[in-house]
Amino acid sequence: MTTSGINLAVRSARWLWQKNTLKEPTVLQSFAFDEANKHLYVLQVAAHGHAAGDLCLNKLDYKGTRLGHMYLKGFGHGVSMGVQRDASDGSTWIWTEADARNGYGRGVTRFHFKNGAVRTGADVRIRRPIADSTNNQPSVCMASGRIAVRYRNAANQPRYRVWDLDAFVARDYGDPLADIAQTGAHPDPKIPFQGYALHRDCIYQLAGTAYDAKTNPAAKRGNTYVSSLDIRTGELLQQERTEAGYTLSHREPEGVAVRGGSEPRVYLGFASGQLGARRFSIFVKDKDKDEDES
């Protein structure tokens, strides 16, 4: 299918493979790139923090080596995150959900990474850009200067709202660029949503479950789908099943991100390994690489 977005039908290749370098023994939830500094940020739910919404933010290099970590107490589930390069001083802002209730954020916030720090809601300025919403989860596109927030409205329906990033930083939420329904993440709407990323005029989505002997056997190489939506129309552009990482044990899709540049590419995260000792892998959709478990 020809789309105005990144082609999701191309092969997948390993980028990071079965790494055990995250601070917590839990699965990755989401990740995002700081391309200017060649850093990878990865969010996890802390091992004993699911109900409270306690997160661990890992800072890695592009080989997967951990450079530091910090804890975010009562922030949310980490379904998505964003990285913003500040043009005024060159610093890096991390965007996450915040103000957790039942483990999910009711707002969003941004902050600078500080190794070893512990942050609570009292330490950051929490933004609530969508009245009466829950499950607020941000994604940032530096290529277009935009930010998206996935949220659930009063009817508990998942949607995306997109703003100009400068306006959002200035707390001007009144004129969003788009507000569309979350749709098409998986052919089966009951299958769990596992993350999204905004890039230019598209939102890229990931959905699927971990291997299960009865409902999702490894022999069938999983039920993971990656898809894209046009934020201008809400149209589903592509919906592609992916077998990336099918040889992994457990193999649960977790997180999607985009690296920009002249040829932007979509990256897919997968958790593997045993409970209490999870590992993570990241694949890249890249037409120029040799096929590897696509």
Side-chain angles (χ1 to χ4, degrees), residues 140-159:
V140 171
C141 172
M142 289 305 298
S144 60
R146 296 170 179 171
I147 184 169
V149 175
R150 177 179 179 262
Y151 68 99
R152 288 185 177 273
N153 60 19
N156 201 35
Q157 298 166 328
R159 299 185 63 85

Side-chain angles (χ1 to χ4, degrees), residues 37-116:
N37 296 300
K38 292 183 168 51
H39 292 150
L40 175 70
Y41 288 92
V42 179
L43 277 175
Q44 304 172 271
V45 178
H48 302 290
H50 285 72
D54 294 344
L55 298 173
C56 179
L57 175 64
N58 298 264
K59 180 181 181 179
L60 313 176
D61 64 21
Y62 278 5
K63 294 183 179 179
T65 303
R66 189 171 78 244
L67 305 175
H69 74 280
M70 60 187 295
Y71 283 98
L72 311 172
K73 299 286 189 177
F75 276 53
H77 195 71
V79 172
S80 67
M81 63 176 298
V83 171
Q84 175 194 354
R85 178 79 166 172
D86 195 321
S88 64
D89 62 9
S91 66
T92 299
W93 291 96
I94 308 299
W95 287 88
T96 69
E97 60 195 284
D99 189 25
R101 176 181 288 177
N102 299 322
Y104 290 84
R106 293 178 292 171
V108 300
T109 192
R110 70 172 187 167
F111 53 88
H112 291 112
F113 180 87
K114 184 177 180 181
N115 187 31

